[in-house]
Amino acid sequence: NENSPNGTEEGTILATDPDRGINGEIRYSLGTTNPAGVFAIDPITGVVTVSNNSGLDFESRSSIVVPAIATDRGSPPNSTTRSVTVQMRDVNEAPTNITFSNVVSVPENANNANTVTVATISVVDDLLGTNAITLSGPDAASFSLVNQLLRFRSLTTLDFETKPTFTVVVSADDATLGSSPDVSTTFTLQITDINERPTAIEFSNVVSPVPESPDVRIAVRVANLRAIDDAIGNNVFSLATSLDAANFSLVGTELRFRSTTPLDFETKNLYRVVVQVDDASISGFPDASTTFSLAISDVNEPPREVRLSNTVPFIQETNVASPGQVVATIAGIDDALGSNQLSLGGADASA
């Protein structure tokens, strides 16, 4: 059989010679076989044995033709050749490999309630015995077997960005043979990326607050924009016309701010704009939007006005003014930053 070990006797070649003496003595040898060197022969007895059992394989060759040569010891020697066909008997062997055909990928937007066939399994074997196929590995719960079909059903919503592949170990085992399993192969299912709508907008390199003192009649960058997306499709940023949109503009992915009037913390300390992003290939507008808030910071400014209250406009000349008599309360109109010093001037300042 095909699993015969080296040294196994396969038969005996017998030849006869009518001569007597040395002329009748016979020696045996083998001619060239395919594959070469599989068998050896005892030159005296003619016993044929297995010499190299790696050449015994029923699946590749069910028989081997062996040229047997009988030569006498005469001078000159005479010989005769007869071909012997060695038939090999198939023996149940362990499966050696597992292959996959009709392999498909699954898009991330597939309905995870449905089970789909993702491959056909083939066990490389000698067709003897019975092979049991089992599944194991980290994602085995998402796979199942129907005869030779490998089927897939996700237990959760598919998402290429978080899990682009599912892996399962497919094993084959013939219970009548030794180890278990006999062979295992890893199958990797590819999840394909699908263009999805952007989900959010991220601001970076934000310049906020902006002090009230600079001249911003020429637009200055206050943030960079990035769409949180799957990197497929084409996202376009825009600004909603509400809130303070007139003070903002977009240059590529830069958000810029300008004001045609001087900034004044005391009258307006916050500017807001709604930034939108949209992928035109996906229905609905916009796909995502976020409000950006730009703070204006207070800057120490000179007082703008001096106000008098609780004034005493006149004192009768007959009255004697008491020292330190209050004739008014003074208030400096200011932004409440810094420290203001009051002083008096004029012709009667000494009074």
Side-chain angles (χ1 to χ4, degrees), residues 263-315:
L263 299 177
D264 182 26
F265 174 86
E266 284 70 34
T267 58
K268 187 171 179 62
N269 60 15
L270 189 67
Y271 288 80
R272 297 188 302 154
V273 65
V274 177
V275 182
Q276 306 169 138
V277 64
D278 185 70
D279 185 335
S281 66
I282 300 176
S283 62
F285 177 88
D287 294 320
S289 63
T290 303
T291 299
F292 178 83
S293 296
L294 177 66
I296 305 301
S297 61
D298 200 6
V299 174
N300 186 22
E301 300 169 301
R304 303 189 302 273
E305 181 184 354
V306 176
R307 292 180 183 175
L308 302 178
S309 61
N310 302 316
T311 58
V312 179
F314 58 88
I315 298 175

mmCIF file of all heavy atoms in Angstrom, residues 263-315:
data_model
loop_
_atom_site.group_PDB
_atom_site.id
_atom_site.type_symbol
_atom_site.label_atom_id
_atom_site.label_comp_id
_atom_site.label_asym_id
_atom_site.label_seq_id
_atom_site.Cartn_x
_atom_site.Cartn_y
_atom_site.Cartn_z
ATOM 1 N N LEU A 263 -13.923 96.589 17.296
ATOM 2 C CA LEU A 263 -14.428 95.672 18.308
ATOM 3 C C LEU A 263 -14.565 96.410 19.630
ATOM 4 O O LEU A 263 -13.744 97.270 19.978
ATOM 5 C CB LEU A 263 -13.486 94.487 18.476
ATOM 6 C CG LEU A 263 -13.279 93.607 17.232
ATOM 7 C CD1 LEU A 263 -12.266 92.509 17.532
ATOM 8 C CD2 LEU A 263 -14.596 93.013 16.763
ATOM 9 N N ASP A 264 -15.607 96.069 20.384
ATOM 10 C CA ASP A 264 -15.837 96.729 21.673
ATOM 11 C C ASP A 264 -16.408 95.695 22.642
ATOM 12 O O ASP A 264 -17.564 95.277 22.514
ATOM 13 C CB ASP A 264 -16.798 97.904 21.511
ATOM 14 C CG ASP A 264 -17.012 98.643 22.821
ATOM 15 O OD1 ASP A 264 -16.123 98.592 23.691
ATOM 16 O OD2 ASP A 264 -18.089 99.253 22.988
ATOM 17 N N PHE A 265 -15.578 95.273 23.580
ATOM 18 C CA PHE A 265 -15.975 94.261 24.550
ATOM 19 C C PHE A 265 -17.227 94.670 25.315
ATOM 20 O O PHE A 265 -18.078 93.840 25.626
ATOM 21 C CB PHE A 265 -14.812 94.006 25.515
ATOM 22 C CG PHE A 265 -15.146 93.084 26.650
ATOM 23 C CD1 PHE A 265 -15.050 91.711 26.506
ATOM 24 C CD2 PHE A 265 -15.567 93.594 27.873
ATOM 25 C CE1 PHE A 265 -15.365 90.861 27.551
ATOM 26 C CE2 PHE A 265 -15.886 92.751 28.929
ATOM 27 C CZ PHE A 265 -15.785 91.368 28.761
ATOM 28 N N GLU A 266 -17.292 95.973 25.628
ATOM 29 C CA GLU A 266 -18.395 96.444 26.475
ATOM 30 C C GLU A 266 -19.756 96.325 25.789
ATOM 31 O O GLU A 266 -20.783 96.161 26.454
ATOM 32 C CB GLU A 266 -18.143 97.890 26.899
ATOM 33 C CG GLU A 266 -17.095 98.056 27.994
ATOM 34 C CD GLU A 266 -15.686 97.738 27.518
ATOM 35 O OE1 GLU A 266 -15.383 98.016 26.335
ATOM 36 O OE2 GLU A 266 -14.897 97.200 28.326
ATOM 37 N N THR A 267 -19.777 96.370 24.449
ATOM 38 C CA THR A 267 -21.065 96.294 23.742
ATOM 39 C C THR A 267 -21.321 94.926 23.104
ATOM 40 O O THR A 267 -22.465 94.526 22.922
ATOM 41 C CB THR A 267 -21.145 97.376 22.650
ATOM 42 O OG1 THR A 267 -20.043 97.191 21.741
ATOM 43 C CG2 THR A 267 -21.079 98.762 23.267
ATOM 44 N N LYS A 268 -20.255 94.173 22.733
ATOM 45 C CA LYS A 268 -20.444 92.840 22.134
ATOM 46 C C LYS A 268 -19.185 92.023 22.389
ATOM 47 O O LYS A 268 -18.131 92.272 21.796
ATOM 48 C CB LYS A 268 -20.702 92.938 20.623
ATOM 49 C CG LYS A 268 -21.065 91.580 19.983
ATOM 50 C CD LYS A 268 -21.523 91.761 18.546
ATOM 51 C CE LYS A 268 -21.863 90.449 17.879
ATOM 52 N NZ LYS A 268 -22.976 89.721 18.527
ATOM 53 N N ASN A 269 -19.304 91.065 23.275
ATOM 54 C CA ASN A 269 -18.127 90.282 23.656
ATOM 55 C C ASN A 269 -18.130 88.850 23.114
ATOM 56 O O ASN A 269 -17.302 88.036 23.497
ATOM 57 C CB ASN A 269 -17.982 90.239 25.179
ATOM 58 C CG ASN A 269 -19.188 89.607 25.856
ATOM 59 O OD1 ASN A 269 -20.017 88.963 25.219
ATOM 60 N ND2 ASN A 269 -19.296 89.821 27.167
ATOM 61 N N LEU A 270 -19.059 88.529 22.191
ATOM 62 C CA LEU A 270 -19.112 87.176 21.641
ATOM 63 C C LEU A 270 -19.695 87.218 20.230
ATOM 64 O O LEU A 270 -20.723 87.867 19.992
ATOM 65 C CB LEU A 270 -19.970 86.264 22.520
ATOM 66 C CG LEU A 270 -19.947 84.767 22.194
ATOM 67 C CD1 LEU A 270 -18.569 84.177 22.494
ATOM 68 C CD2 LEU A 270 -21.027 84.025 22.979
ATOM 69 N N TYR A 271 -19.018 86.516 19.303
ATOM 70 C CA TYR A 271 -19.507 86.370 17.933
ATOM 71 C C TYR A 271 -19.682 84.873 17.666
ATOM 72 O O TYR A 271 -18.816 84.061 18.004
ATOM 73 C CB TYR A 271 -18.524 86.957 16.923
ATOM 74 C CG TYR A 271 -18.471 88.472 16.938
ATOM 75 C CD1 TYR A 271 -17.728 89.151 17.899
ATOM 76 C CD2 TYR A 271 -19.168 89.226 15.991
ATOM 77 C CE1 TYR A 271 -17.667 90.539 17.921
ATOM 78 C CE2 TYR A 271 -19.114 90.619 16.002
ATOM 79 C CZ TYR A 271 -18.362 91.263 16.969
ATOM 80 O OH TYR A 271 -18.318 92.642 16.985
ATOM 81 N N ARG A 272 -20.793 84.512 17.020
ATOM 82 C CA ARG A 272 -21.080 83.099 16.776
ATOM 83 C C ARG A 272 -21.453 82.879 15.307
ATOM 84 O O ARG A 272 -22.052 83.742 14.667
ATOM 85 C CB ARG A 272 -22.204 82.605 17.672
ATOM 86 C CG ARG A 272 -21.892 82.655 19.163
ATOM 87 C CD ARG A 272 -22.970 81.961 19.974
ATOM 88 N NE ARG A 272 -24.280 82.560 19.732
ATOM 89 C CZ ARG A 272 -25.444 81.914 19.871
ATOM 90 N NH1 ARG A 272 -25.441 80.643 20.239
ATOM 91 N NH2 ARG A 272 -26.587 82.535 19.655
ATOM 92 N N VAL A 273 -21.072 81.685 14.825
ATOM 93 C CA VAL A 273 -21.417 81.308 13.458
ATOM 94 C C VAL A 273 -21.650 79.797 13.420
ATOM 95 O O VAL A 273 -20.995 79.041 14.140
ATOM 96 C CB VAL A 273 -20.309 81.719 12.462
ATOM 97 C CG1 VAL A 273 -19.010 80.961 12.731
ATOM 98 C CG2 VAL A 273 -20.757 81.510 11.018
ATOM 99 N N VAL A 274 -22.588 79.370 12.589
ATOM 100 C CA VAL A 274 -22.861 77.942 12.411
ATOM 101 C C VAL A 274 -22.079 77.457 11.194
ATOM 102 O O VAL A 274 -22.299 77.929 10.074
ATOM 103 C CB VAL A 274 -24.361 77.669 12.230
ATOM 104 C CG1 VAL A 274 -24.601 76.171 11.963
ATOM 105 C CG2 VAL A 274 -25.140 78.116 13.462
ATOM 106 N N VAL A 275 -21.143 76.520 11.433
ATOM 107 C CA VAL A 275 -20.343 75.931 10.355
ATOM 108 C C VAL A 275 -21.011 74.620 9.928
ATOM 109 O O VAL A 275 -21.357 73.789 10.768
ATOM 110 C CB VAL A 275 -18.892 75.676 10.810
ATOM 111 C CG1 VAL A 275 -18.070 75.103 9.660
ATOM 112 C CG2 VAL A 275 -18.262 76.968 11.328
ATOM 113 N N GLN A 276 -21.160 74.435 8.616
ATOM 114 C CA GLN A 276 -21.839 73.262 8.078
ATOM 115 C C GLN A 276 -20.887 72.470 7.194
ATOM 116 O O GLN A 276 -19.947 73.025 6.612
ATOM 117 C CB GLN A 276 -23.050 73.682 7.236
ATOM 118 C CG GLN A 276 -24.013 74.596 7.968
ATOM 119 C CD GLN A 276 -25.056 75.203 7.033
ATOM 120 O OE1 GLN A 276 -26.218 75.282 7.390
ATOM 121 N NE2 GLN A 276 -24.642 75.644 5.872
ATOM 122 N N VAL A 277 -21.112 71.156 7.093
ATOM 123 C CA VAL A 277 -20.358 70.317 6.158
ATOM 124 C C VAL A 277 -21.340 69.396 5.465
ATOM 125 O O VAL A 277 -22.304 68.909 6.078
ATOM 126 C CB VAL A 277 -19.247 69.519 6.875
ATOM 127 C CG1 VAL A 277 -19.828 68.512 7.876
ATOM 128 C CG2 VAL A 277 -18.351 68.817 5.865
ATOM 129 N N ASP A 278 -21.090 69.150 4.151
ATOM 130 C CA ASP A 278 -22.026 68.340 3.380
ATOM 131 C C ASP A 278 -21.289 67.554 2.306
ATOM 132 O O ASP A 278 -20.373 68.059 1.661
ATOM 133 C CB ASP A 278 -23.078 69.227 2.721
ATOM 134 C CG ASP A 278 -24.155 68.422 2.012
ATOM 135 O OD1 ASP A 278 -24.953 67.785 2.717
ATOM 136 O OD2 ASP A 278 -24.179 68.427 0.761
ATOM 137 N N ASP A 279 -21.683 66.288 2.162
ATOM 138 C CA ASP A 279 -21.226 65.442 1.062
ATOM 139 C C ASP A 279 -22.380 65.373 0.067
ATOM 140 O O ASP A 279 -23.420 64.777 0.353
ATOM 141 C CB ASP A 279 -20.861 64.046 1.575
ATOM 142 C CG ASP A 279 -20.252 63.160 0.491
ATOM 143 O OD1 ASP A 279 -20.527 63.392 -0.701
ATOM 144 O OD2 ASP A 279 -19.499 62.233 0.840
ATOM 145 N N ALA A 280 -22.182 65.971 -1.101
ATOM 146 C CA ALA A 280 -23.280 66.111 -2.062
ATOM 147 C C ALA A 280 -23.775 64.768 -2.578
ATOM 148 O O ALA A 280 -24.905 64.678 -3.074
ATOM 149 C CB ALA A 280 -22.835 66.992 -3.227
ATOM 150 N N SER A 281 -22.956 63.720 -2.464
ATOM 151 C CA SER A 281 -23.381 62.411 -2.966
ATOM 152 C C SER A 281 -24.351 61.708 -2.028
ATOM 153 O O SER A 281 -24.885 60.657 -2.361
ATOM 154 C CB SER A 281 -22.155 61.525 -3.209
ATOM 155 O OG SER A 281 -21.510 61.229 -1.993
ATOM 156 N N ILE A 282 -24.557 62.272 -0.849
ATOM 157 C CA ILE A 282 -25.466 61.696 0.137
ATOM 158 C C ILE A 282 -26.634 62.653 0.334
ATOM 159 O O ILE A 282 -26.439 63.871 0.454
ATOM 160 C CB ILE A 282 -24.731 61.434 1.461
ATOM 161 C CG1 ILE A 282 -23.576 60.457 1.242
ATOM 162 C CG2 ILE A 282 -25.684 60.886 2.519
ATOM 163 C CD1 ILE A 282 -22.731 60.216 2.466
ATOM 164 N N SER A 283 -27.837 62.133 0.378
ATOM 165 C CA SER A 283 -29.026 62.971 0.466
ATOM 166 C C SER A 283 -29.073 63.725 1.791
ATOM 167 O O SER A 283 -28.532 63.281 2.800
ATOM 168 C CB SER A 283 -30.287 62.119 0.309
ATOM 169 O OG SER A 283 -30.368 61.158 1.353
ATOM 170 N N GLY A 284 -29.727 64.891 1.743
ATOM 171 C CA GLY A 284 -29.882 65.723 2.934
ATOM 172 C C GLY A 284 -28.805 66.789 3.017
ATOM 173 O O GLY A 284 -27.672 66.578 2.612
ATOM 174 N N PHE A 285 -29.195 67.965 3.517
ATOM 175 C CA PHE A 285 -28.235 69.061 3.684
ATOM 176 C C PHE A 285 -28.576 69.828 4.956
ATOM 177 O O PHE A 285 -29.732 70.131 5.210
ATOM 178 C CB PHE A 285 -28.296 70.022 2.494
ATOM 179 C CG PHE A 285 -27.369 71.202 2.648
ATOM 180 C CD1 PHE A 285 -26.064 71.117 2.208
ATOM 181 C CD2 PHE A 285 -27.803 72.373 3.259
ATOM 182 C CE1 PHE A 285 -25.194 72.203 2.357
ATOM 183 C CE2 PHE A 285 -26.942 73.454 3.419
ATOM 184 C CZ PHE A 285 -25.631 73.363 2.961
ATOM 185 N N PRO A 286 -27.562 70.175 5.753
ATOM 186 C CA PRO A 286 -26.195 69.651 5.685
ATOM 187 C C PRO A 286 -26.117 68.306 6.379
ATOM 188 O O PRO A 286 -27.049 67.905 7.074
ATOM 189 C CB PRO A 286 -25.395 70.706 6.442
ATOM 190 C CG PRO A 286 -26.370 71.192 7.490
ATOM 191 C CD PRO A 286 -27.727 71.177 6.825
ATOM 192 N N ASP A 287 -24.979 67.634 6.222
ATOM 193 C CA ASP A 287 -24.804 66.350 6.904
ATOM 194 C C ASP A 287 -24.463 66.552 8.379
ATOM 195 O O ASP A 287 -24.810 65.736 9.224
ATOM 196 C CB ASP A 287 -23.698 65.537 6.228
ATOM 197 C CG ASP A 287 -24.073 65.130 4.810
ATOM 198 O OD1 ASP A 287 -25.247 64.764 4.612
ATOM 199 O OD2 ASP A 287 -23.219 65.189 3.921
ATOM 200 N N ALA A 288 -23.759 67.618 8.697
ATOM 201 C CA ALA A 288 -23.408 67.924 10.090
ATOM 202 C C ALA A 288 -23.191 69.430 10.213
ATOM 203 O O ALA A 288 -22.833 70.100 9.237
ATOM 204 C CB ALA A 288 -22.152 67.175 10.521
ATOM 205 N N SER A 289 -23.430 69.966 11.396
ATOM 206 C CA SER A 289 -23.205 71.391 11.648
ATOM 207 C C SER A 289 -22.816 71.588 13.104
ATOM 208 O O SER A 289 -23.205 70.814 13.976
ATOM 209 C CB SER A 289 -24.449 72.219 11.311
ATOM 210 O OG SER A 289 -25.534 71.851 12.138
ATOM 211 N N THR A 290 -22.010 72.634 13.338
ATOM 212 C CA THR A 290 -21.534 72.951 14.683
ATOM 213 C C THR A 290 -21.420 74.467 14.819
ATOM 214 O O THR A 290 -21.004 75.148 13.874
ATOM 215 C CB THR A 290 -20.153 72.313 14.941
ATOM 216 O OG1 THR A 290 -20.248 70.905 14.739
ATOM 217 C CG2 THR A 290 -19.686 72.568 16.361
ATOM 218 N N THR A 291 -21.796 74.972 15.988
ATOM 219 C CA THR A 291 -21.681 76.411 16.241
ATOM 220 C C THR A 291 -20.290 76.736 16.781
ATOM 221 O O THR A 291 -19.821 76.107 17.728
ATOM 222 C CB THR A 291 -22.748 76.879 17.243
ATOM 223 O OG1 THR A 291 -24.046 76.625 16.682
ATOM 224 C CG2 THR A 291 -22.608 78.371 17.531
ATOM 225 N N PHE A 292 -19.644 77.697 16.142
ATOM 226 C CA PHE A 292 -18.340 78.183 16.596
ATOM 227 C C PHE A 292 -18.540 79.516 17.308
ATOM 228 O O PHE A 292 -19.204 80.414 16.789
ATOM 229 C CB PHE A 292 -17.394 78.359 15.411
ATOM 230 C CG PHE A 292 -16.045 78.903 15.794
ATOM 231 C CD1 PHE A 292 -15.051 78.067 16.260
ATOM 232 C CD2 PHE A 292 -15.774 80.266 15.698
ATOM 233 C CE1 PHE A 292 -13.806 78.562 16.616
ATOM 234 C CE2 PHE A 292 -14.529 80.773 16.050
ATOM 235 C CZ PHE A 292 -13.549 79.917 16.511
ATOM 236 N N SER A 293 -17.960 79.634 18.492
ATOM 237 C CA SER A 293 -18.083 80.862 19.279
ATOM 238 C C SER A 293 -16.712 81.523 19.407
ATOM 239 O O SER A 293 -15.741 80.883 19.827
ATOM 240 C CB SER A 293 -18.646 80.568 20.679
ATOM 241 O OG SER A 293 -19.961 80.051 20.582
ATOM 242 N N LEU A 294 -16.658 82.795 19.043
ATOM 243 C CA LEU A 294 -15.426 83.575 19.146
ATOM 244 C C LEU A 294 -15.603 84.635 20.232
ATOM 245 O O LEU A 294 -16.472 85.508 20.123
ATOM 246 C CB LEU A 294 -15.096 84.251 17.816
ATOM 247 C CG LEU A 294 -13.873 85.157 17.797
ATOM 248 C CD1 LEU A 294 -12.602 84.340 18.030
ATOM 249 C CD2 LEU A 294 -13.778 85.932 16.493
ATOM 250 N N ALA A 295 -14.801 84.521 21.283
ATOM 251 C CA ALA A 295 -14.890 85.483 22.389
ATOM 252 C C ALA A 295 -14.023 86.708 22.090
ATOM 253 O O ALA A 295 -12.974 86.616 21.448
ATOM 254 C CB ALA A 295 -14.443 84.821 23.681
ATOM 255 N N ILE A 296 -14.480 87.873 22.551
ATOM 256 C CA ILE A 296 -13.715 89.114 22.472
ATOM 257 C C ILE A 296 -13.242 89.426 23.885
ATOM 258 O O ILE A 296 -14.051 89.433 24.831
ATOM 259 C CB ILE A 296 -14.574 90.268 21.919
ATOM 260 C CG1 ILE A 296 -15.176 89.882 20.558
ATOM 261 C CG2 ILE A 296 -13.736 91.532 21.807
ATOM 262 C CD1 ILE A 296 -14.158 89.527 19.507
ATOM 263 N N SER A 297 -11.961 89.676 24.043
ATOM 264 C CA SER A 297 -11.424 89.953 25.383
ATOM 265 C C SER A 297 -11.341 91.454 25.629
ATOM 266 O O SER A 297 -11.124 92.263 24.713
ATOM 267 C CB SER A 297 -10.047 89.305 25.551
ATOM 268 O OG SER A 297 -9.134 89.836 24.611
ATOM 269 N N ASP A 298 -11.518 91.825 26.884
ATOM 270 C CA ASP A 298 -11.488 93.233 27.283
ATOM 271 C C ASP A 298 -10.041 93.726 27.331
ATOM 272 O O ASP A 298 -9.126 93.006 27.712
ATOM 273 C CB ASP A 298 -12.144 93.378 28.663
ATOM 274 C CG ASP A 298 -12.596 94.799 28.931
ATOM 275 O OD1 ASP A 298 -12.499 95.639 28.015
ATOM 276 O OD2 ASP A 298 -13.063 95.050 30.053
ATOM 277 N N VAL A 299 -9.841 94.959 26.926
ATOM 278 C CA VAL A 299 -8.530 95.600 26.954
ATOM 279 C C VAL A 299 -8.649 96.897 27.740
ATOM 280 O O VAL A 299 -9.651 97.622 27.622
ATOM 281 C CB VAL A 299 -8.029 95.890 25.519
ATOM 282 C CG1 VAL A 299 -6.729 96.691 25.550
ATOM 283 C CG2 VAL A 299 -7.824 94.583 24.763
ATOM 284 N N ASN A 300 -7.666 97.187 28.567
ATOM 285 C CA ASN A 300 -7.686 98.416 29.364
ATOM 286 C C ASN A 300 -7.692 99.630 28.446
ATOM 287 O O ASN A 300 -6.777 99.829 27.638
ATOM 288 C CB ASN A 300 -6.475 98.456 30.297
ATOM 289 C CG ASN A 300 -6.535 99.632 31.252
ATOM 290 O OD1 ASN A 300 -7.607 100.178 31.520
ATOM 291 N ND2 ASN A 300 -5.387 100.029 31.784
ATOM 292 N N GLU A 301 -8.746 100.466 28.579
ATOM 293 C CA GLU A 301 -8.907 101.665 27.750
ATOM 294 C C GLU A 301 -8.978 102.901 28.642
ATOM 295 O O GLU A 301 -9.350 102.810 29.816
ATOM 296 C CB GLU A 301 -10.193 101.555 26.923
ATOM 297 C CG GLU A 301 -10.203 100.339 25.992
ATOM 298 C CD GLU A 301 -11.574 100.091 25.394
ATOM 299 O OE1 GLU A 301 -12.523 99.881 26.167
ATOM 300 O OE2 GLU A 301 -11.700 100.110 24.164
ATOM 301 N N PRO A 302 -8.611 104.082 28.103
ATOM 302 C CA PRO A 302 -8.707 105.305 28.919
ATOM 303 C C PRO A 302 -10.156 105.623 29.247
ATOM 304 O O PRO A 302 -11.065 105.280 28.483
ATOM 305 C CB PRO A 302 -8.075 106.374 28.021
ATOM 306 C CG PRO A 302 -8.217 105.834 26.634
ATOM 307 C CD PRO A 302 -8.098 104.355 26.762
ATOM 308 N N PRO A 303 -10.396 106.251 30.404
ATOM 309 C CA PRO A 303 -11.779 106.647 30.716
ATOM 310 C C PRO A 303 -12.315 107.592 29.652
ATOM 311 O O PRO A 303 -11.587 108.418 29.101
ATOM 312 C CB PRO A 303 -11.652 107.326 32.087
ATOM 313 C CG PRO A 303 -10.210 107.675 32.214
ATOM 314 C CD PRO A 303 -9.448 106.674 31.435
ATOM 315 N N ARG A 304 -13.593 107.425 29.328
ATOM 316 C CA ARG A 304 -14.187 108.189 28.244
ATOM 317 C C ARG A 304 -14.881 109.467 28.709
ATOM 318 O O ARG A 304 -15.137 110.368 27.920
ATOM 319 C CB ARG A 304 -15.220 107.312 27.515
ATOM 320 C CG ARG A 304 -14.667 106.004 26.971
ATOM 321 C CD ARG A 304 -15.684 105.296 26.082
ATOM 322 N NE ARG A 304 -16.931 105.004 26.784
ATOM 323 C CZ ARG A 304 -17.147 103.908 27.502
ATOM 324 N NH1 ARG A 304 -16.169 103.031 27.651
ATOM 325 N NH2 ARG A 304 -18.310 103.703 28.077
ATOM 326 N N GLU A 305 -15.205 109.549 30.038
ATOM 327 C CA GLU A 305 -16.049 110.676 30.493
ATOM 328 C C GLU A 305 -15.932 110.803 32.005
ATOM 329 O O GLU A 305 -15.671 109.835 32.708
ATOM 330 C CB GLU A 305 -17.506 110.401 30.092
ATOM 331 C CG GLU A 305 -18.489 111.486 30.462
ATOM 332 C CD GLU A 305 -19.931 111.103 30.108
ATOM 333 O OE1 GLU A 305 -20.132 110.035 29.481
ATOM 334 O OE2 GLU A 305 -20.837 111.871 30.496
ATOM 335 N N VAL A 306 -16.090 112.038 32.479
ATOM 336 C CA VAL A 306 -16.206 112.309 33.922
ATOM 337 C C VAL A 306 -17.613 112.837 34.176
ATOM 338 O O VAL A 306 -18.048 113.799 33.548
ATOM 339 C CB VAL A 306 -15.154 113.317 34.403
ATOM 340 C CG1 VAL A 306 -15.368 113.635 35.881
ATOM 341 C CG2 VAL A 306 -13.740 112.767 34.186
ATOM 342 N N ARG A 307 -18.332 112.189 35.060
ATOM 343 C CA ARG A 307 -19.704 112.609 35.368
ATOM 344 C C ARG A 307 -19.792 113.079 36.818
ATOM 345 O O ARG A 307 -19.191 112.485 37.714
ATOM 346 C CB ARG A 307 -20.674 111.452 35.143
ATOM 347 C CG ARG A 307 -20.826 111.052 33.691
ATOM 348 C CD ARG A 307 -21.804 109.905 33.535
ATOM 349 N NE ARG A 307 -21.893 109.463 32.142
ATOM 350 C CZ ARG A 307 -22.594 108.409 31.742
ATOM 351 N NH1 ARG A 307 -23.256 107.688 32.656
ATOM 352 N NH2 ARG A 307 -22.627 108.092 30.460
ATOM 353 N N LEU A 308 -20.584 114.179 36.998
ATOM 354 C CA LEU A 308 -20.827 114.735 38.333
ATOM 355 C C LEU A 308 -22.270 114.473 38.732
ATOM 356 O O LEU A 308 -23.183 114.631 37.926
ATOM 357 C CB LEU A 308 -20.558 116.244 38.353
ATOM 358 C CG LEU A 308 -19.135 116.679 37.928
ATOM 359 C CD1 LEU A 308 -19.034 118.208 37.950
ATOM 360 C CD2 LEU A 308 -18.099 116.069 38.842
ATOM 361 N N SER A 309 -22.463 114.073 39.970
ATOM 362 C CA SER A 309 -23.819 113.871 40.480
ATOM 363 C C SER A 309 -23.894 114.466 41.890
ATOM 364 O O SER A 309 -22.860 114.774 42.498
ATOM 365 C CB SER A 309 -24.158 112.365 40.500
ATOM 366 O OG SER A 309 -23.266 111.664 41.336
ATOM 367 N N ASN A 310 -25.133 114.617 42.380
ATOM 368 C CA ASN A 310 -25.359 115.225 43.716
ATOM 369 C C ASN A 310 -24.646 116.577 43.831
ATOM 370 O O ASN A 310 -24.004 116.901 44.839
ATOM 371 C CB ASN A 310 -24.864 114.275 44.823
ATOM 372 C CG ASN A 310 -25.543 112.926 44.762
ATOM 373 O OD1 ASN A 310 -26.765 112.846 44.572
ATOM 374 N ND2 ASN A 310 -24.754 111.847 44.902
ATOM 375 N N THR A 311 -24.755 117.378 42.767
ATOM 376 C CA THR A 311 -24.040 118.663 42.742
ATOM 377 C C THR A 311 -24.757 119.724 43.583
ATOM 378 O O THR A 311 -25.987 119.736 43.722
ATOM 379 C CB THR A 311 -23.907 119.172 41.304
ATOM 380 O OG1 THR A 311 -25.209 119.300 40.716
ATOM 381 C CG2 THR A 311 -23.076 118.208 40.462
ATOM 382 N N VAL A 312 -23.975 120.580 44.178
ATOM 383 C CA VAL A 312 -24.478 121.790 44.877
ATOM 384 C C VAL A 312 -24.089 122.971 43.987
ATOM 385 O O VAL A 312 -22.922 123.408 43.983
ATOM 386 C CB VAL A 312 -23.850 121.925 46.274
ATOM 387 C CG1 VAL A 312 -24.359 123.196 46.965
ATOM 388 C CG2 VAL A 312 -24.164 120.691 47.105
ATOM 389 N N PRO A 313 -25.025 123.480 43.186
ATOM 390 C CA PRO A 313 -24.644 124.460 42.152
ATOM 391 C C PRO A 313 -24.251 125.841 42.720
ATOM 392 O O PRO A 313 -23.540 126.579 42.055
ATOM 393 C CB PRO A 313 -25.897 124.545 41.274
ATOM 394 C CG PRO A 313 -27.018 124.129 42.149
ATOM 395 C CD PRO A 313 -26.459 123.122 43.113
ATOM 396 N N PHE A 314 -24.757 126.169 43.944
ATOM 397 C CA PHE A 314 -24.366 127.492 44.473
ATOM 398 C C PHE A 314 -24.381 127.443 45.991
ATOM 399 O O PHE A 314 -25.044 126.603 46.604
ATOM 400 C CB PHE A 314 -25.308 128.617 43.969
ATOM 401 C CG PHE A 314 -26.749 128.392 44.334
ATOM 402 C CD1 PHE A 314 -27.258 128.843 45.554
ATOM 403 C CD2 PHE A 314 -27.615 127.715 43.472
ATOM 404 C CE1 PHE A 314 -28.582 128.634 45.887
ATOM 405 C CE2 PHE A 314 -28.935 127.500 43.818
ATOM 406 C CZ PHE A 314 -29.426 127.967 45.021
ATOM 407 N N ILE A 315 -23.652 128.366 46.569
ATOM 408 C CA ILE A 315 -23.632 128.571 48.024
ATOM 409 C C ILE A 315 -23.906 130.052 48.271
ATOM 410 O O ILE A 315 -23.256 130.908 47.650
ATOM 411 C CB ILE A 315 -22.252 128.186 48.619
ATOM 412 C CG1 ILE A 315 -21.964 126.682 48.366
ATOM 413 C CG2 ILE A 315 -22.208 128.483 50.111
ATOM 414 C CD1 ILE A 315 -20.575 126.280 48.815
#
